[in-house]
Structure formats: structure tokens, C-alpha cells
Amino acid sequence: MTTNKIKPFIYLAAFYVIISLIIRIVFLFHPITTANFNILEVLKIILVGFANDILVFVLASTVLALYLLFLSDSKYRKPYGYILLAILILFFLYILFIPNNIFKQYGGSLAEIALAFVGLKIICTGLMLFLPNYRVKIRNGLYFITVFLYVLLIVFNAVSEYFFYNEFGVRYNFIAVDYLIYTNEVIGNIVESYPIIPLFSVIFIVTLGVAVFIYKNTYRELLQLPSLNQKTVMLCSFCVLILVSLFGLNFTVQIKGKSIFEEEIEANGLPKFYWAFTHNELDYFQFYSKINENQAEKMFLNQFSSSVLERNIISDQPELKKNVVLISVESLSANFLEHYGNTQKITPFLDSLAEKSLMFTNLYATGNRTVRGLEALTLCIPPTAGESIIKRENNKNKFTTGSVFRSKGYNVKFLYGGYSYFDNMQDFFEGNDYDIVDRNDFKPEEISFANVWGVADEDMAKKAIQTMNAESKSGKPFFNHWMTVSNHRPFTYPQGRIDIPGNVKSREGGVKYTDYALKKFFEMAKKQDWYGNTVFVIIADHCASSAGDTELPMDKYRIPAMVFSEGFIQPQKFIKIMSQIDVMPTVFGLLNFDYKSKFLGQNIFSKEFQPKAYVATYEDLGFVKDNYLTIISPVRKVKQYALIQQKNNLAQEFNSIFNEKELNEKDQNKNIVYAAISAYQATSYWLKKNQLNR
């Protein structure tokens, strides 16, 4: 490849490396980065990051290389130019008029994208063919557009990575893949959360300035197009670089650091995004530590005093057919409540309700996404590697809390203020025999306020009361699972409801407004005939943030939960450690239900109950028991931390804030390591074999 022909690559690569370096420096000093780095560690981050960026740029420059390789004047000579144009037109007509063409079979917007691309190619080919005197100017214009788009993608990716890190404390992962898929909600969230016009204006100005600079310093190199021999050399050289980059990335992405922050900062977001996009589910048996399968199942089922998965749950008291309302509260960290030490008084209603409820003071969410919380409360199983089961293809006909209620003659519904197609919730709940009430069921006059995530929680509260009133008239008990939406960025809500204005867009405002909406719901519910015969379960789906010094910081998984039923549930505090998957089996126990169970959570009041918790990300699977946190990760890695309780001014039942001290392998509690492996291995096996279906 001759020197003058690679100048566009050199300029773009230099710009990409500089932008990536700036982002890394920003991440190093970002408030969310709580790890400390010495000089050698910073140098390692910079050098590994530089290698990652160069390797990624080589792969990303494939489109530019192909563009330059296909530059030619000979293809526009008669009759080749006319033949090329005719082929493009026929291809355009094929996409437009053939009903079952390959693009339409794929679905989505692929056919429209293909039409736009081929149509643009027809216009460019026609101009180059019929206006030969302007061919150089047209080519230069197209080259500038190509450079502009590359620069725009580099700048936009840098901005996206910053905001993603600012929100989640990591580079791209499965959440970024979700954001690409659910464009309506995500774009709406960005528009409502950030000063979009100033932000995009700065992006455009920077992009334009850099693109003009690169264009002016490189466009002359295209005045003389490369010969066929030069193109052959360029192609062969680029193929070698591609292979080197693929091999190099396979090595650099395996380089680990002393903390999760070090690994994330030195990484490049694009390979992480690609990995997440192609790994919706991780094969436990390929990537994680294993023991004998029979041994794993036996060890896990021992907690139920059973040797088989399906168990008979028998109560010595008569069944109680009370209505049950399960309210999953969006992003409600335990430390938002005054009970857990918060002094902002942003949850006055929930704090007052907790005093009248059975409150679980030491409960941990299974994950850091809504779908993971819904999975835990609906399927009552430990989290598994990859995406939540709600997002997977094989997500129907499972053994669920809803199926138990239906077997008892209950009406079963899922209530959501947004559009339930988001996060695959509609597919999952309908596939498991839940009726759904979502934004599609609202009349315009029933909506006082809405943002991109859905109607305000108080509007959903009113709709929930209407739904429950209708169900109570049917003569059947009901189970309604309501997922709130207002405590989510952009944190907007109706004005005048609380003392924090709705346009401030603060997390505290989102929490306090949700608390206000729940208060309104209970005020309305108390006036209904069915109220006295109803059990209310209020629990967070996950915490507001999951970033920390370690893979699974315990304080970022602790959530509040309570069971309230006036005249039925006696106020008390359950202080032993427990999991989100234990909540609904406990509720069934309070109702004295007899049923065949495949739940992997436990009734905390049963004599077999073993205090423990499951906490996880998409890759790291954590098991908490006896003051140990055991984490199993790809590729067959096992870490264990001793959980050392911090001293603070909280009452004993709320004082469960831990420091995590990593143990050497020789100091690990091997029994708990095996217990962790058995739990996740057995769960993964039963899911794979569909043994957790109804």
C-alpha cells in the first residue's frame, strides 16, 4: 500500500486514538470510578487501551478500505456503466415490489434500509455516468461525506460511551444492545433527559471541523486513482491487518486488571458491544466451573429436604384465598428509605408503611435490570448467565407465581404504565398466561402526564384500582403484578405533586414522586370493598446503580421489601439475609397454599430455610452465604470475598453494609464455593432441559 493512499487511514486513526485517550482520562477521574491507580497501572491502562483502539480501528476501517478499492473510472466506460446502472435499478425494483424478497423475509426495517442504500447508489452512479466532466467533484463530494460519517461515528461513540459509563459505571454491555433495539424509548429518554440541542450542536460542529481538516489534507491523494496492481497490494495488506487485528483483540480483551474499573477503562467499547450483541445467553457448561451434575442437583435440593425438583408444599392450616397485589418499584435502592439511613425524607409513605408491615430488612436483588427483577419475582429462580429469561426465546409455559395463582382460581394480570412490548415483557407474560394492562388500555383523558417510559405512576394507580374493582365483581380472587415506571431517567412527573418540581429531573424527585403515587394508590384502595381481603407486596426490582469497586458490590443490590395486609400481617422485621426469589414462596406460605412447587426460592418461615442470596450481572454469578460472597465467572473463574460488616448508626436489623475482602484461593471456603456452583449449574441444567416448565 503506497504511502499517499493510506493518509486518510492515518488521519482518522490518529483522531480516533486521541478521542479514545481523552475518554480514558475522563473515566480515570470520573466520580463513579472509586478505584485508585498507581503510575504503573495508569500506564498499563493507557498502553492496553492504545492497542485495543488501533486494533478496533483497523476492523472499523473496512468500509473505508472497500470504498477506496472500488474507486474507478473504467467502470463508467461504455457499456459497463450502463450495465452497472441497469443492475442497480433492477435490484431496487426487486426490493420494492417482490413481496418475499430476502430483506422483507428478515423483517424489521432492513428492506427500507436496503432501498435507501441502493437508491443512493443509483443516484451516484447515474451522476458519475452522465456527467463525466463533474466526476472528480462528485467523487470528492462523496469522499468528504464518507470522512464526515467516520468522524461523526467516532465522536458520537465517544459521547455515548461517556453517558453510558456515567449511568452504569461500565463500557457497553447487554443494556447497550437493548438501547439499540428499543430506539423509541431510548431516543425519547435521551431527548427528555439531556440538553439535546446544545449537545448535538457541539457534536456537529466538532465533526464538521475535523472532517474538513482531514479532507483538505487527503483529498488530493484521490486525484490519481490507484492502478489494479496497487489495489491488489492494498487489498492483500489490509487482509493481513484484519487477521492481525482479530488475533490481537482476542489477546488484549483477555488482559485483566486488579479491579473492574481498570478492566473497563482500558477496554474498547465496540468489541464489548459486539460480544454482548452475539451472546444473549451464555452456556453455563461451556464457560463456568462445573461439578458432577447429579451431585450439583443433590447439593442444591438438599435445602428443600428433597431429592426431586418438583416438591409437594403442604400447609397445616386452611388456605386463605386473599387477593394479592405485587408492586415492583422501579430502581428503589434500600438506601433511599429512612429506615436504611437516608435523611432526605423522600419516601415518607413507604417508611410509614414499613412500620405496619412484615419488612425484609436484609434482602438482595438478583440483578441490576428490571427484567431480572421480574424474573426473580415471577419464576423464583436464581439468575443465570446472559440475559434474563424474559428476554430469551424459550421463555413460555414456565412454572410461575401466576401459574400457582391460576391453579387456585385467581385472575392473573400484569400491569405496566408503558408499552409492554418493551424488554419483551408482553411476549413473556402473555406466554405464561398473564393478562396484560398497559398503556394501550388508557384513554387520552385517563393520562394526566406521560414521558417516554409510560404514564405517570398515579395514572397507573387509578387504572389499577379500576382493574381490581372489575375483578372483584367477578367473584374470583385476583393476583395483580404492577411494575412502576416513574422512578427512571428522565425523572419527570406532574407538577405540584411533591416539593421537588417535575422538571428538575432529579433522582430524588423520581423516588419521592413514586412514593407519592403509591400513597395515592393505597388511599384509593382503602375505600374499596376488596381492600380488607388483600395482601400487598411492595418490593424494588433492582437498585438505582450497580457500579462499585468489585464485580458485585453488595450495597448496590440491597433493596427494600415489605408485605402489608391490614388485620392479617402482623408488623415485624425479618433480619436474616434472603433473596428476591424467596419473596413469593414466602407469600404463598403466608396464605397456607398447598401446591406442587418448582420454585428455587424458599419460604423464609419454613423450617428448611437457609439464609442466602443470589446477586449477578450478565457474566458474574454471585452467591452470598455465611458472610461469604462467592463469584463464579467465565472462563471457569472463582473468586470469594469475606464480607466484613461496617459499623454505623443504623439499628441492628438495618446494619448490613459490608466491606468485601478478596480471599486467596487457599483461604476460600470450599463448601460454599461448591454450593454456589451447584446452585447455578443445577438451575442452568433444569432450564436447558425445560424442567422448570409447567
Side-chain angles (χ1 to χ4, degrees):
M1 190 181 295
T2 58
T3 304
N4 63 328
K5 302 304 178 187
I6 65 172
K7 283 182 70 175
F9 296 92
I10 293 174
Y11 276 88
L12 284 170
F15 178 64
Y16 182 59
V17 168
I18 291 170
I19 290 293
S20 298
L21 177 61
I22 292 171
I23 286 294
R24 281 195 179 84
I25 293 172
V26 169
F27 288 170
L28 282 170
F29 294 99
H30 195 287
I32 206 170
T33 306
T34 56
N36 295 315
F37 306 107
N38 59 39
I39 297 297
L40 290 178
E41 289 164 345
V42 171
L43 184 61
K44 171 182 174 284
I45 289 172
I46 299 301
L47 291 176
V48 173
F50 175 78
N52 279 325
D53 296 338
I54 291 295
L55 297 172
V56 167
F57 179 80
V58 171
L59 298 176
S61 62
T62 302
V63 175
L64 178 61
L66 292 174
Y67 169 77
L68 295 176
L69 285 170
F70 279 97
L71 289 179
S72 170
D73 281 329
S74 60
K75 65 184 178 184
Y76 298 110
R77 296 171 187 165
K78 297 179 182 180
Y80 306 115
Y82 296 103
I83 294 173
L84 176 62
L85 183 61
I87 291 173
L88 289 171
I89 292 173
L90 288 174
F91 192 39
F92 183 87
L93 295 174
Y94 163 77
I95 300 171
L96 185 62
F97 292 114
I98 302 301
N100 295 317
N101 68 69
I102 57 173
F103 300 103
K104 291 180 180 177
Q105 286 178 3
Y106 184 83
S109 301
L110 188 60
E112 288 78 7
I113 295 172
L115 271 177
F117 177 79
V118 177
L120 181 62
K121 191 67 178 174
I122 289 171
I123 294 172
C124 294
T125 302
L127 291 172
M128 299 286 278
L129 179 63
F130 296 114
L131 300 173
N133 294 333
Y134 294 92
R135 195 170 291 167
V136 173
K137 290 184 177 180
I138 295 171
R139 182 180 291 127
N140 286 346
L142 293 175
Y143 172 64
F144 175 77
I145 293 172
T146 303
V147 171
F148 180 87
L149 291 175
Y150 258 94
V151 175
L152 177 63
L153 288 173
I154 291 171
V155 175
F156 190 81
N157 176 69
V159 173
S160 299
E161 286 208 66
Y162 169 77
F163 282 117
F164 196 85
Y165 191 89
N166 189 60
E167 183 80 11
F168 300 104
V170 296
R171 299 270 190 171
Y172 297 140
N173 58 18
F174 279 101
I175 303 173
V177 176
D178 284 352
Y179 280 12
L180 183 66
I181 295 172
Y182 297 106
T183 52
N184 179 58
E185 282 81 357
V186 173
I187 292 174
N189 186 31
I190 293 171
V191 170
E192 295 178 4
S193 300
Y194 301 106
I196 202 71
I197 294 177
L199 180 62
F200 275 35
S201 297
V202 171
I203 291 174
F204 178 79
I205 292 170
V206 171
T207 300
L208 183 62
V210 174
V212 168
F213 174 80
I214 294 175
Y215 171 77
K216 285 184 175 181
N217 286 275
T218 59
Y219 81 95
R220 293 182 181 85
E221 317 306 332
L222 303 182
L223 295 178
Q224 183 179 354
L225 299 180
S227 65
L228 181 60
N229 289 337
Q230 288 176 322
K231 288 183 178 181
T232 302
V233 173
M234 291 169 63
L235 179 61
C236 293
S237 302
F238 192 76
C239 288
V240 171
L241 286 174
I242 289 290
L243 292 175
V244 170
S245 297
L246 290 172
F247 177 81
L249 275 176
N250 189 55
F251 171 75
T252 57
V253 296
Q254 303 297 326
I255 298 175
K256 301 299 181 182
K258 73 170 188 178
S259 71
I260 194 69
F261 286 112
E262 182 177 336
E263 295 175 7
E264 291 294 333
I265 295 171
E266 71 186 17
N268 185 289
L270 296 179
K272 291 178 70 67
F273 182 90
Y274 174 79
W275 191 94
F277 189 82
T278 56
H279 292 76
N280 198 44
E281 179 180 353
L282 287 175
D283 186 343
Y284 181 93
F285 300 92
Q286 181 178 356
F287 294 104
Y288 291 83
S289 298
K290 303 186 296 291
I291 58 177
N292 175 271
E293 180 58 37
N294 291 332
Q295 181 185 357
E297 293 185 36
K298 181 179 179 181
M299 185 179 299
F300 185 78
L301 291 172
N302 182 61
Q303 66 184 299
F304 303 106
S305 300
S306 175
S307 59
V308 294
L309 173 61
E310 186 174 65
R311 310 170 305 280
N312 287 318
I313 307 297
I314 306 295
S315 173
D316 57 3
Q317 299 292 325
E319 287 188 350
L320 303 171
K321 293 294 183 67
K322 290 182 175 291
N323 308 308
V324 177
V325 177
L326 169 61
I327 305 175
S328 301
V329 183
E330 173 70 45
S331 303
L332 188 70
S333 302
N335 59 18
F336 289 148
L337 272 67
E338 188 174 1
H339 280 83
Y340 297 88
N342 191 289
T343 59
Q344 298 171 294
K345 298 188 182 301
I346 53 177
T347 57
F349 173 71
L350 287 175
D351 278 307
S352 66
L353 191 68
E355 294 297 329
K356 309 169 189 175
S357 305
L358 162 60
M359 188 177 187
F360 308 118
T361 67
N362 202 10
L363 186 149
Y364 293 84
T366 58
N368 49 26
R369 289 296 315 281
T370 295
V371 285
R372 191 62 92 183
L374 293 176
E375 171 192 87
L377 294 168
T378 304
L379 302 179
C380 305
I381 64 173
T384 49
E387 262 288 10
S388 163
I389 293 166
I390 291 175
K391 304 289 289 293
R392 300 181 193 175
E393 184 177 355
N394 184 21
N395 66 358
K396 299 173 179 63
N397 301 311
K398 301 298 182 188
F399 185 83
T400 66
T401 54
S403 64
V404 173
F405 279 115
R406 279 201 180 276
S407 72
K408 300 296 181 181
Y410 280 64
N411 289 319
V412 175
K413 283 186 171 63
F414 175 67
L415 285 64
Y416 182 65
Y419 296 109
S420 58
Y421 72 81
F422 181 72
D423 262 349
N424 212 42
M425 289 184 285
Q426 180 178 349
D427 181 68
F428 172 76
F429 282 106
E430 285 185 344
N432 287 287
D433 296 331
Y434 282 68
D435 296 323
I436 294 177
V437 177
D438 68 1
R439 187 167 178 172
N440 290 307
D441 296 291
F442 281 78
K443 299 174 183 177
E445 61 270 20
E446 293 178 317
I447 303 175
S448 66
F449 182 90
N451 61 22
V452 67
W453 294 111
V455 303
D457 283 345
E458 64 183 283
D459 293 334
M460 188 67 245
K462 294 174 185 176
K463 176 63 74 172
I465 295 295
Q466 293 176 14
T467 302
M468 295 168 195
N469 285 342
E471 288 183 313
S472 69
K473 294 176 182 177
S474 71
K476 298 171 64 176
F478 59 80
F479 167 62
N480 283 182
H481 185 168
W482 168 21
M483 180 70 227
T484 73
V485 300
S486 291
N487 185 29
H488 194 295
R489 192 178 299 279
F491 310 118
T492 54
Y493 42 84
Q495 296 285 11
R497 303 312 199 259
I498 59 174
D499 57 4
I500 303 175
N503 57 3
V504 170
K505 300 181 180 180
S506 70
R507 168 71 73 178
E508 292 75 18
V511 173
K512 194 165 189 177
Y513 172 73
T514 294
D515 183 82
Y516 164 87
L518 291 174
K519 178 182 178 183
K520 291 298 179 184
F521 170 76
F522 274 88
E523 288 175 352
M524 290 185 286
K526 198 166 186 177
K527 299 175 183 177
Q528 314 306 320
D529 294 338
W530 45 263
Y531 173 79
N533 192 42
T534 302
V535 175
F536 299 92
V537 184
I538 303 96
I539 182 172
D541 60 344
H542 58 84
C543 282
S545 171
S546 59
D549 292 334
T550 59
E551 299 94 330
L552 299 172
M554 288 290 291
D555 60 315
K556 299 301 177 69
Y557 285 82
R558 194 181 187 199
I559 58 174
M562 61 195 79
V563 180
F564 170 79
S565 183
E566 203 166 313
F568 172 54
I569 299 294
Q570 296 302 311
Q572 62 174 301
K573 293 179 175 63
F574 185 84
I575 67 173
K576 294 180 181 178
I577 192 170
M578 60 180 289
S579 173
Q580 206 171 18
I581 73 173
D582 298 323
V583 172
M584 292 312 293
T586 299
V587 171
F588 291 136
L590 293 171
L591 296 173
N592 302 324
F593 275 10
D594 295 337
Y595 63 104
K596 291 184 179 295
S597 176
K598 291 185 179 180
F599 293 140
L600 305 183
Q602 289 186 286
N603 176 0
I604 61 170
F605 295 117
S606 67
K607 63 181 184 297
E608 296 91 2
F609 175 68
Q610 297 180 11
K612 62 190 173 304
Y614 304 94
V615 293
T617 62
Y618 296 103
E619 297 181 22
D620 300 314
L621 307 176
F623 179 75
V624 185
K625 187 176 182 181
D626 296 342
N627 288 325
Y628 290 99
L629 166 61
T630 304
I631 301 174
I632 56 177
S633 309
V635 179
R636 300 176 183 83
K637 295 179 180 177
V638 177
K639 287 185 178 181
Q640 192 172 77
Y641 295 85
L643 299 177
I644 303 171
Q645 194 170 31
Q646 297 181 18
K647 293 183 178 180
N648 56 40
N649 296 324
L650 294 177
Q652 178 186 355
E653 60 265 32
F654 298 101
N655 184 16
S656 296
I657 301 174
F658 299 102
N659 287 322
E660 299 175 15
K661 179 183 178 182
E662 186 173 358
L663 302 175
N664 295 322
E665 184 176 358
K666 63 181 180 63
D667 296 324
Q668 292 179 357
N669 185 317
K670 297 302 181 183
N671 289 332
I672 294 181
V673 169
Y674 292 139
I677 293 172
S678 70
Y680 287 112
Q681 180 178 331
T683 303
S684 300
Y685 179 82
W686 289 326
L687 278 171
K688 187 175 183 179
K689 298 299 182 180
N690 292 320
Q691 293 185 32
L692 294 176
N693 287 12
R694 293 198 293 264

